[in-house]
Amino acid sequence: MKDQLAKLREKRQRALEGGGPARIDAQHAKGKLTARERLAILLDEASFQELGALATHQSTDFGMAERRYPGDGVITGFGKIQGRRVAVYAQDFTVLGGSFSEVQSNKISRIQDLAIEAGIPLIGLNDSGGARVQEGIRSLAAYGEVFMRNVKASGVIPQISLIMGPCAGGAVYSPALTDITIMVDQTSNMFLTGPEIIKTVTGEEVSAEELGGAQVHNAASGVAQLIADDEQHALSLTKALLAYLPQNNAEDPPPLEPYDPADRMDEALNSLIPTDDRAAYDARQMLELIFDRGSLFELHQDWAPNALVGFARLDGMSVGFVANQPQVLSGCLDIDASDKIARHITLCDQFNIPLITFVDCPGYLPGVEQEHRGVIRHGAKIIYAYCQATVPKISIVTRKAMGGSYVALSSKQMNNDVAYAWPTAQIAVMGAEGAARLLHRRAIAAADDPAEEEARFVADYKERFFNPYEAADVGQIDEVIEPRETRPRLIRALEVLRTKVSVGVPKKHGLFPV
């Protein structure tokens, strides 16, 4: 028995050592933590229960028989974050470069299955040089097992991916299939084909950071939702994010004990909208004044900045928000902003997070490029997402709500539950200048002073339509409120809508306008 215990302890110790001191030192030299160090920061102390620590590959080709490490380059198991149960896996770059193998797939697939069955979030820490070449087709098929389970878990449990180093080739699809992807600035990258292959095929010379670094995927491609300054920051963001999400789709997000008065009204909101309707204001400042203090958690901050999306709290309850940002492109919707908004609506809906939409949008961004790239198709994603969402939905028109953008952004016809408007709201088919020219073209042309005549018609159109009262008259707006009243109004509405039950027409699924 003593010999057996000694052997077990030796194997466990080898598993804890990863690829050995030299590989660990090399990892630290790159400014990166080891897989076990990352898990120690992420999880509550002494909460981690490892599974599959002694698993090793059975390959004998290409000298692999002498390169066996307990765990085979990935650590899997269960733990707790702020007392909540989670499933985790962390690739260990010190072991064969974290290369993805059949054994890695078996371990990750096993923890995915257990997470789905237990109804708990799954967090993956990715740091791998890619598929293990020595295993050939087996490593490629192994990716497919993980992808299938990513799709199976989608909309059932929260899936969070952290990119802590390289993530290349087929490996990138797993994070892309999860709910939130977090990248570390300067030390993580994602790409389907690396710089060397691109140079060979196209002749383009590009570095890994320029091709698929954290800045690229957070600001240009939209693949990642969050960027971290370093690994500790990434792990901290993960903990903060998880606090807004439920354990699974059958539960509500965990509330916090209210710490900000529900009846707080900030007078600064009453003077936030400029008198000149062409002047911009910061929608982020508006959100900070309305939601619980310090609760704003923005996603996709650097991608499509003409729209803001993320999570916040109202009286301690988790909510999702969508807002136009007038400081960028006047808050117009374009292709990227449409994708950003539609994705966030769907994310909130699948995890029972109420949606609050702040509308100040003059319409869709005009231009040949936008039309040719499919702004119609992308804009339709917002409509589809709002109509499909069954969570409580509240909208506030703060200023402009023009044409199709009014309809798309959580109008009554999008199954919106409560619609408010500020007195500064302008709900109309189009801008006043365009409407005046369209309706009174002949009268303007025949006038002695066409400019003066046009200005008169513009002023008349604004007087009649650039206000929320006609929309309120016909029931498209439930109530016109003072801006400072927004916070208590939202909290009261959510109290009523918390038990909302929606019954839809049975169907397999619709065709999302991808």
Side-chain angles (χ1 to χ4, degrees):
M1 183 65 173
K2 287 183 179 180
D3 291 344
Q4 292 171 330
L5 289 174
K7 185 176 182 179
L8 172 61
R9 288 166 183 162
E10 180 187 354
K11 285 184 174 291
R12 283 181 172 176
Q13 184 59 37
R14 284 190 61 203
L16 292 174
E17 291 172 351
R23 293 291 180 89
I24 291 173
D25 289 343
Q27 182 85 338
H28 288 163
K30 297 175 184 175
K32 296 166 62 179
L33 300 171
T34 67
R36 292 193 182 277
E37 288 169 342
R38 291 163 179 163
L39 290 175
I41 295 172
L42 177 65
L43 302 174
D44 296 350
E45 187 175 357
S47 71
F48 183 52
Q49 302 177 58
E50 188 170 356
L51 298 178
L54 305 183
T56 57
H57 71 80
Q58 299 303 308
S59 300
T60 57
D61 296 335
F62 305 103
M64 291 300 291
E66 292 76 38
R67 304 175 69 189
R68 291 196 177 114
Y69 298 83
D72 204 39
V74 68
I75 302 165
T76 60
F78 297 97
K80 291 183 178 180
I81 294 178
Q82 298 169 341
R84 294 174 58 189
R85 297 170 300 135
V86 296
V88 295
Y89 70 85
Q91 291 179 313
D92 187 350
F93 196 82
T94 70
V95 175
L96 302 173
S99 57
F100 194 82
S101 65
E102 188 175 33
V103 170
Q104 270 210 28
S105 173
N106 292 339
K107 290 178 64 176
I108 294 174
S109 296
R110 172 68 172 152
I111 207 70
Q112 287 176 302
D113 289 339
L114 290 173
I116 295 169
E117 291 168 8
I120 60 176
L122 175 67
I123 302 170
L125 282 64
N126 297 268
D127 188 1
S128 169
R132 190 169 295 173
V133 178
Q134 294 91 333
E135 293 193 10
I137 185 62
R138 285 182 295 158
S139 64
L140 294 178
Y143 275 131
E145 295 292 336
V146 174
F147 301 161
M148 186 274 289
R149 287 168 174 83
N150 284 137
V151 175
K152 182 180 177 182
S154 183
V156 179
I157 57 172
Q159 299 180 85
I160 303 172
S161 297
L162 286 80
I163 313 301
M164 313 296 275
C167 185
V172 301
Y173 287 122
S174 180
L177 290 167
T178 61
D179 300 304
I180 301 291
T181 299
I182 303 172
M183 296 186 71
V184 181
D185 197 18
Q186 301 302 316
T187 59
S188 68
N189 48 66
M190 298 173 70
F191 38 71
L192 279 169
T193 53
E196 292 183 5
I197 295 176
I198 288 178
K199 183 178 180 180
T200 301
V201 175
T202 71
E204 297 173 283
E205 292 193 14
V206 62
S207 69
E209 184 66 24
E210 293 169 333
L211 179 62
Q215 294 288 347
V216 170
H217 288 308
N218 274 271
S221 73
V223 169
Q225 286 74 43
L226 292 165
I227 185 169
D229 299 330
D230 52 36
E231 294 193 7
Q232 288 88 345
H233 186 209
L235 297 167
S236 176
L237 285 172
T238 305
K239 295 180 183 183
L241 169 65
L242 195 62
Y244 292 94
L245 303 174
Q247 289 292 86
N248 53 66
N249 65 349
E251 297 183 12
D252 291 328
L256 292 183
E257 188 68 29
Y259 60 88
D260 195 356
D263 58 356
R264 174 174 61 82
M265 292 190 282
D266 202 310
E267 292 292 339
L269 287 167
N270 277 2
S271 56
L272 180 68
I273 305 296
T275 304
D276 182 354
D277 62 12
R278 295 169 297 181
Y281 63 92
D282 187 0
R284 197 172 282 112
Q285 178 188 359
M286 172 186 68
L287 300 177
E288 289 172 347
L289 292 172
I290 292 171
F291 292 120
D292 292 357
R293 291 186 177 94
S295 71
L296 220 59
F297 191 93
E298 194 172 342
L299 301 175
H300 280 306
Q301 187 167 348
D302 299 319
W303 183 57
N306 42 320
L308 307 180
V309 303
F311 303 113
R313 291 191 181 274
L314 274 172
D315 204 30
M317 303 296 293
S318 178
V319 297
F321 67 81
V322 171
N324 303 110
Q325 173 58 292
Q327 288 187 328
V328 181
L329 297 176
S330 299
C332 277
L333 292 175
D334 61 358
I335 287 172
D336 287 346
S338 298
D339 286 356
K340 175 176 175 175
I341 291 171
R343 188 183 195 280
H344 190 62
I345 295 166
T346 306
L347 173 63
C348 290
D349 185 52
Q350 68 185 4
F351 291 126
N352 310 314
I353 302 172
L355 268 165
I356 301 175
T357 305
F358 297 85
V359 184
D360 186 353
C361 184
Y364 287 87
L365 185 67
V368 173
E369 182 192 14
Q370 286 286 307
E371 295 290 350
H372 286 188
R373 287 178 56 206
V375 69
I376 297 171
R377 173 168 47 87
H378 290 270
K381 295 179 184 181
I382 298 179
I383 296 173
Y384 196 102
Y386 271 123
C387 289
Q388 182 175 249
T390 59
V391 292
K393 290 175 288 189
I394 304 173
S395 65
I396 304 100
V397 180
T398 62
R399 190 167 59 175
K400 297 176 183 177
M402 302 293 177
S405 64
Y406 160 73
V407 179
L409 288 169
S410 201
S411 67
K412 279 292 186 71
Q413 285 64 44
M414 302 298 101
N415 289 331
N416 185 51
D417 296 298
V418 179
Y420 294 122
W422 288 0
T424 48
Q426 304 170 0
I427 303 172
V429 175
M430 61 172 59
E433 288 77 9
R437 292 170 192 145
L438 180 66
L439 296 172
H440 306 287
R441 181 173 59 252
R442 293 179 180 176
I444 292 171
D448 294 334
D449 189 339
E452 181 180 342
E453 187 73 356
E454 180 179 328
R456 185 174 70 82
F457 285 127
V458 167
D460 178 65
Y461 188 86
K462 285 185 175 182
E463 177 67 25
R464 293 182 58 189
F465 297 108
F466 270 38
N467 63 72
Y469 302 110
E470 182 172 344
D473 285 345
V474 297
Q476 296 303 307
I477 294 296
D478 290 309
E479 194 165 358
V480 180
I481 62 173
E482 286 190 45
R484 70 188 185 98
E485 298 174 336
T486 305
R487 173 180 169 80
R489 292 278 189 165
L490 290 175
I491 290 173
R492 290 174 201 160
L494 285 175
E495 286 178 355
V496 175
L497 294 171
R498 194 175 299 163
T499 54
K500 174 185 175 183
V501 176
S502 297
V503 179
V505 178
K507 61 180 178 179
K508 187 174 182 181
H509 56 71
L511 176 60
F512 193 78
V514 295

